[in-house]
Amino acid sequence: MLDADHFRRWMTATAASVDREAERLTALDSPIGDADHGSNLRRGFRAVTAALEKEAPDTPGAVLVLAGRQLISTVGGASGPLYGTLLRRTGKALGDAAEVSEEQFTQALRTGVDAVMQLGGAAPGDKTMIDALVPAVDALDAGLGFGAAATAAEQGAEATTPLQARKGRASYLGERSIGHQDPGATSAALLVAGLAEAGAGTGADPV
Ligand code: ADP
Ligand code: MG
């Protein structure tokens, strides 16, 4: 079973990797965007960890709803509302249970990913964060675990390189968006990797 601590570790592990990788995310957002993705997300996840420390929510759902709210109010850009919706909707779907099973979490995450697709109108193959998130949920649905989900998300992010963007800022470039890995899919892979780190125990274990 997964408790509030697990979800807190998920958020702090993600905040740490976003911090480490912020420059890379911004560099990816430079040729096909406006070079702000890393700084946007870093600001957002710093706000998430600060809010979690201050308010100490005690259920999985409350941790994710609080995190999502912070992302919506601090990240800005396209990705803020989308990531915020992902975490908020996933958290709401978890309700107020003190612990949730991996299966319940997978279902809730599916609800969250569906909400992102509805809000942004992106489908798999449009070269967005969806291309990392959907394979991750599919891996969890197949019972493969957090590590396999992280690998699936990473592969999904890498597979965005040859795609032409059909949503977001990168889509303005048309065919010129081809040949670059999508920054949002890359950060989504970090988010899923954080889940695997949280599952590993302390969130600080070397992989
Ligand atoms: P902005 O494009 O407003 O500067 P960011 O740079 O923070 O926002 O985030 C860009 C990322 O957001 C993209 O790489 C893409 O993965 C994701 N994104 C943009 N639009 C959409 C959308 N409609 N649906 C899903 N993801 C999207
Ligand atoms: Mg940008």
Side-chain angles (χ1 to χ4, degrees):
M1 294 294 275
L2 309 169
D3 61 6
D5 251 0
H6 172 89
F7 289 88
R8 234 190 306 276
R9 288 199 305 274
W10 178 20
M11 292 298 107
T12 49
T14 304
S17 64
V18 163
D19 222 58
R20 275 197 308 271
E21 302 283 331
E23 262 117 69
R24 178 170 158 247
L25 294 174
T26 286
L28 290 172
D29 194 33
S30 165
I32 59 169
D34 56 353
D36 65 355
H37 190 57
S39 45
N40 283 347
L41 272 194
R42 173 190 268 162
R43 183 172 60 244
F45 274 96
R46 281 182 179 170
V48 167
T49 47
L52 288 175
E53 265 177 45
K54 192 164 158 241
E55 298 188 29
D58 57 2
T59 65
V63 169
L64 296 187
V65 169
L66 177 60
R69 228 188 303 132
Q70 292 300 316
L71 293 180
I72 288 172
S73 61
T74 60
V75 174
S79 65
L82 293 166
Y83 273 127
T85 294
L86 175 68
L87 296 184
R88 245 167 40 107
R89 290 295 289 272
T90 301
K92 279 194 181 175
L94 292 175
D96 55 9
E99 294 189 326
V100 299
S101 66
E102 238 178 271
E103 290 73 22
Q104 286 170 318
F105 169 65
T106 301
Q107 262 187 27
L109 189 62
R110 177 79 72 189
T111 305
V113 173
D114 285 347
V116 173
M117 289 200 271
Q118 200 161 18
L119 177 64
D126 285 349
K127 197 179 179 102
T128 70
M129 59 175 71
I130 291 302
D131 292 324
L133 294 173
V134 167
V137 186
D138 287 346
L140 292 177
D141 236 347
L144 299 177
F146 293 150
T151 305
E154 178 66 39
Q155 287 170 350
E158 285 168 12
T160 61
T161 302
L163 299 178
Q164 178 173 335
R166 283 193 289 255
K167 288 288 169 209
R169 216 177 267 283
S171 67
Y172 308 158
L173 293 176
E175 286 182 2
R176 281 180 296 136
S177 64
I178 293 172
H180 304 279
Q181 184 167 320
D182 180 62
T186 309
S187 59
L190 294 180
L191 180 70
V192 181
L195 196 52
E197 276 186 68
T202 63
D205 291 356
V207 210

